[in-house]
Amino acid sequence: MEAELLSIVLALALALLSLYFLVIHNMLAKQETRNLPPGTMGWPICGETLSLLKPHRSNSMGTFLQQHCSRYVLMIVIYIYIVCARACACRYGKVFKSHLFGSPAIVSCDNELNMFILQNEGKLFRASYPKAMHGILGNFSLLVVSGDLHKKLRNVVISFTCSSNPLQLSLVLSKICPFQRSSHGQVVKKSPSAKKLERYFALNLIVKLLLSIEPGEPQAFKILEDFRTYMRGFISLPVYIPGMPYAKAVKARARLSSTVKEIIKEREKGTVEVREGDFLDVILSKGGMSNEEIVSIVLDILLGGYETTATLIALIVYFLGHAPIAFQTLKEEHQAIRKNKKVGEPLNWEDYQKMEFTCNVIYEAMRCGNVVKFVHRKALKDVKFKEYIIPSGWKVLPMFTGAHVDPSLHENPTEFNPWRWSTDKVMSKKVMPFGGGPRLCPGAELAKVEISFFLHHLVLNYRWKTKADDFPVAYPFVEFTRGLLLEIERNKDDEATINNPQCSSFNFYLFLFYVEDVWA
C-alpha cells in the first residue's frame, strides 16, 4: 500500500514538473522572437536563485554576476603539438534573462537601465517583492505599496527626515547625544554578546527617535526581542511552518504591531506625556492615517535604522581602517569644525552642512560596500530598452552592485576613494547609494546625520586597525567574517580617557559602546 502511494506521489510530481517545463518552454518560445536579452533559465523551479544568492565579498559583483556579465571567456586547452582555443563560457553582457525567485526575470548590471527602471516607477515598473515577504513587511510597508498610497506614506516619512526641514532634524540631533551618553558603559555590563550589543545600540537609538522610549524601559526590551525575531525572518526560508524562523517573524510582527497600537492609543487618550519631536508625534499630528498605516511606517523606519544604518557604520569603519589618508583628511575636517566651537558645545545643523568630505566617505562606503545589492521590480507592460524587449509581467532586478564596481564607470572600482565624489561631477549619476526615483530612500538624510555625528566623535578620539582576515561578505545582507574585530586606541592628544586606554582587540559592535560622547 505504501509503495503504491509513493508511486502515485512520484507520478504526480513528475507530471507537475513536466507541466512546469512545458509552460516555461512555451512562454520562452513566444518571447524569443521578441528579442529578449540572452541568458538561461537554470534549474527547474529554483532557476538560478541559489547561484545569485551565493555569498561573496560585498565590494565585488560575485561569481554569478561576473560569469553572466562577461561576454566571452576564452580557455586555452593545450594538447601535444595542438592548441585549441574555444569559448567555454560565452556569456551575456550587462543585461540578461534568468529565472529568479520563482519568476522569469531580466537582470540588469547596466547603470543606464537601472536608472531608467527606478525613474519609471509606477509608469513602466512597480515594486514586486516575493509574496512571502508581505507576511513580514505587512500590506502597507513602503517596500510593497505603490501609487498614491506610496506617495502618501512616503511624504509622511520625508516630513520628519528631509533636509528641507532642518528644525525637525535639529530636534532629532538633540536626542542623539544624550542617548549615547546614557547608554555608555551601561549596556556592556548586561550582555556578553558583542553582536547583540551592536543591535541593541542601533535599535534603541531609533526607538528613542521614533517613540521616545528610553533604553532600560520594559517596552524597549520587549520591542528589542520582537524585532530581533522579526529580522530573522528576512533571511529565512519563506515557508510558514510553526516554530520555524519565518513563522516566528510573522508572529513577532503582529506583536510589534500591537505594541505600537497601544502606544498610539495611550497618546490619543493623553495618558502619557507628549514628548515633542519624536516621529510618532509627527505622524499623529498629521491625521488622516489608519493605525495599520502608522504601524507600517514605524516598522519601516525601525528596519532602516536598525539594519542598514548599523551596517553602513561598520563598513565605513572597515574602509577607513584600510585608508589612512582618507582617515586623516576626515579627521582634519572634523578638527576644523570642533576648533570653531566652545568646549562642550554640541554639534548643530550648520556644523553638519560643513561635513562635505564626511558625506563623500558615506557615499563611497555605500558604493564599495553595497549595503543593498538589488531591488525587486516588475514590468507593467512590454518595455523596449535599446535592442531588447522586457516582457510585461516579468520580474526585473536592477543590480546596484554591477554598476557600483563597473570599471567602465569608475577608475579602480574596488578601491575606496572618497575623493572621486569631489573630482567626478557626475558621480551621482553613476552610483545610487540611496536608490532613486520615487522610491529614493526617505530616511537618507537622517541616516547621514546620525553617521556624520558618530564619525565626528570617532575620528577625533580614536584610531584603529582591522584584522587581515576580516572583510565584509554579501549573503546578500552584509556581515563580516569575524564580526569586524578591531585594535583600537585613544588618540594621544586627547585628554579624555576610557576604561581601558591601552591598545587592545575589540569587536566593532562592542566598540560602539565604549565611545563616549564628547559633544553632549
Side-chain angles (χ1 to χ4, degrees):
M1 183 65 181
E2 292 182 358
E4 293 179 358
L5 182 60
L6 181 60
S7 299
I8 293 174
V9 171
L10 290 175
L12 287 173
L14 183 61
L16 289 174
L17 192 60
S18 300
L19 180 61
Y20 170 85
F21 271 121
L22 182 62
V23 170
I24 293 296
H25 180 271
N26 288 339
M27 180 173 62
L28 291 178
K30 293 178 181 179
Q31 302 290 352
E32 287 298 338
T33 57
R34 304 169 66 189
N35 204 23
L36 284 173
T40 177
M41 292 315 210
W43 295 94
I45 301 178
C46 68
E48 297 185 296
T49 305
L50 298 180
S51 298
L52 171 66
L53 299 180
K54 184 178 179 181
H56 60 88
R57 285 180 179 262
S58 70
N59 62 339
S60 71
M61 296 174 65
T63 303
F64 176 81
L65 293 181
Q66 287 173 347
Q67 291 179 345
H68 283 62
C69 290
S70 299
R71 275 292 188 183
Y72 294 97
V73 178
L74 295 181
M75 175 177 286
I76 307 299
V77 183
I78 303 179
Y79 297 97
I80 300 176
Y81 305 116
I82 300 176
V83 178
C84 296
R86 62 188 181 90
C88 69
C90 182
R91 295 300 182 176
Y92 318 116
K94 295 180 182 179
V95 181
F96 58 91
K97 70 183 178 186
S98 184
H99 194 273
L100 301 166
F101 304 101
S103 302
I106 300 297
V107 180
S108 169
C109 292
D110 184 281
N111 186 61
E112 183 181 351
L113 177 54
N114 290 351
M115 291 288 289
F116 178 77
I117 293 168
L118 297 181
Q119 293 295 335
N120 283 280
E121 167 73 27
K123 302 174 184 177
L124 303 178
F125 306 93
R126 68 172 175 82
S128 180
Y129 286 84
K131 289 184 178 180
M133 295 301 296
H134 292 213
I136 300 178
L137 294 170
N139 295 326
F140 295 100
S141 170
L142 285 170
L143 290 174
V144 300
V145 296
S146 302
D148 292 337
L149 180 57
H150 178 265
K151 293 179 182 178
K152 170 188 172 183
L153 299 181
R154 188 175 185 276
N155 286 337
V156 173
V157 178
I158 290 176
S159 68
F160 185 71
T161 62
C162 183
S163 59
S164 62
N165 190 353
L167 177 60
Q168 188 63 58
L169 278 174
S170 295
L171 291 173
V172 170
L173 299 183
S174 69
K175 291 175 176 287
I176 294 177
C177 302
F179 172 83
Q180 287 195 336
R181 178 176 289 281
S182 66
S183 63
H184 166 63
Q186 175 185 6
V187 182
V188 176
K189 301 175 183 178
K190 293 186 177 182
S191 174
S193 170
K195 191 71 172 288
K196 288 182 180 179
L197 289 174
E198 184 272 341
R199 300 307 192 205
Y200 186 100
F201 173 83
L203 181 58
N204 273 284
L205 174 57
I206 199 68
V207 166
K208 179 177 174 64
L209 295 176
L210 300 186
L211 306 173
S212 293
I213 297 177
E214 300 289 343
E217 292 184 23
Q219 266 187 332
F221 287 109
K222 181 180 178 183
I223 291 174
L224 175 65
E225 290 304 316
D226 282 338
F227 205 80
R228 282 175 180 165
T229 305
Y230 175 71
M231 282 301 303
R232 292 188 192 108
F234 283 89
I235 55 175
S236 64
L237 183 67
V239 178
Y240 193 96
I241 301 175
M244 298 298 286
Y246 177 80
K248 290 181 178 180
V250 173
K251 292 182 179 180
R253 190 200 183 279
R255 292 193 297 271
L256 287 166
S257 177
S258 298
T259 299
V260 176
K261 287 179 181 178
E262 186 62 30
I263 295 172
I264 294 172
K265 186 177 180 181
E266 290 175 353
R267 293 205 185 182
E268 289 177 339
K269 286 183 177 180
T271 56
V272 295
E273 178 185 356
V274 177
R275 309 176 192 185
E276 182 182 4
D278 76 15
F279 184 66
L280 186 57
D281 283 341
V282 174
I283 299 177
L284 294 177
S285 67
K286 290 185 174 295
M289 298 180 65
S290 68
N291 283 354
E292 287 297 334
E293 290 174 340
I294 295 174
V295 168
S296 287
I297 288 179
V298 169
L299 293 184
D300 282 347
I301 297 298
L302 285 174
L303 177 62
Y306 171 81
E307 187 64 28
T308 56
T309 301
T311 300
L312 180 53
I313 291 174
L315 286 167
I316 292 171
V317 170
Y318 171 80
F319 288 123
L320 287 176
H322 291 264
I325 298 178
F327 173 86
Q328 185 60 33
T329 304
L330 183 65
K331 182 178 179 179
E332 290 171 359
E333 178 175 83
H334 287 275
Q335 285 175 329
I337 293 173
R338 176 51 55 191
K339 185 177 180 180
N340 293 323
K341 303 186 74 67
K342 298 177 182 178
V343 176
E345 183 182 355
L347 295 173
N348 54 37
W349 177 253
E350 288 71 27
D351 297 320
Y352 169 66
Q353 291 179 308
K354 298 175 184 176
M355 300 179 184
E356 296 181 4
F357 189 75
T358 304
C359 187
N360 292 346
V361 167
I362 294 172
Y363 284 147
E364 183 69 355
M366 293 199 74
R367 184 193 70 82
C368 291
N370 294 291
V371 177
V372 178
K373 182 176 179 178
F374 59 89
V375 293
H376 294 257
R377 296 293 183 264
K378 182 178 181 178
L380 297 176
K381 59 180 74 173
D382 287 352
V383 179
K384 189 175 189 304
F385 178 76
K386 296 182 178 179
E387 71 269 28
Y388 296 130
I389 294 292
I390 301 175
S392 174
W394 277 43
K395 181 177 284 293
V396 183
L397 299 177
M399 290 286 168
F400 301 139
T401 304
H404 290 174
V405 297
D406 187 342
S408 68
L409 296 175
H410 313 289
E411 184 179 357
N412 299 322
T414 59
E415 177 187 0
F416 178 77
N417 177 13
W419 291 274
R420 73 173 83 235
W421 290 86
S422 299
T423 58
D424 189 343
K425 301 303 181 183
V426 294
M427 273 298 293
S428 59
K429 296 181 180 180
K430 297 179 181 180
V431 179
M432 293 162 280
F434 290 100
R439 290 185 179 271
L440 179 70
C441 177
E445 200 67 55
L446 177 60
K448 288 192 293 182
V449 169
E450 180 183 337
I451 294 170
S452 296
F453 276 42
F454 175 83
L455 289 176
H456 176 81
H457 169 62
L458 185 66
V459 299
L460 290 182
N461 291 277
Y462 299 94
R463 62 173 64 92
W464 62 90
K465 294 180 180 180
T466 62
K467 299 295 184 181
D469 57 347
D470 201 4
F471 53 86
V473 177
Y475 286 93
F477 59 93
V478 178
E479 289 284 0
F480 286 82
T481 55
R482 296 188 60 186
L484 190 49
L485 284 169
L486 302 176
E487 291 183 357
I488 64 170
E489 61 179 348
R490 275 278 193 179
N491 288 332
K492 295 179 180 179
D493 56 350
D494 185 26
E495 297 179 357
T497 60
I498 55 175
N499 295 334
N500 182 10
Q502 282 77 33
C503 179
S504 57
S505 292
F506 283 87
N507 183 292
F508 169 70
Y509 305 111
L510 180 61
F511 172 53
L512 285 173
F513 291 89
Y514 279 97
V515 291
E516 297 170 290
D517 187 355
V518 297
W519 22 268

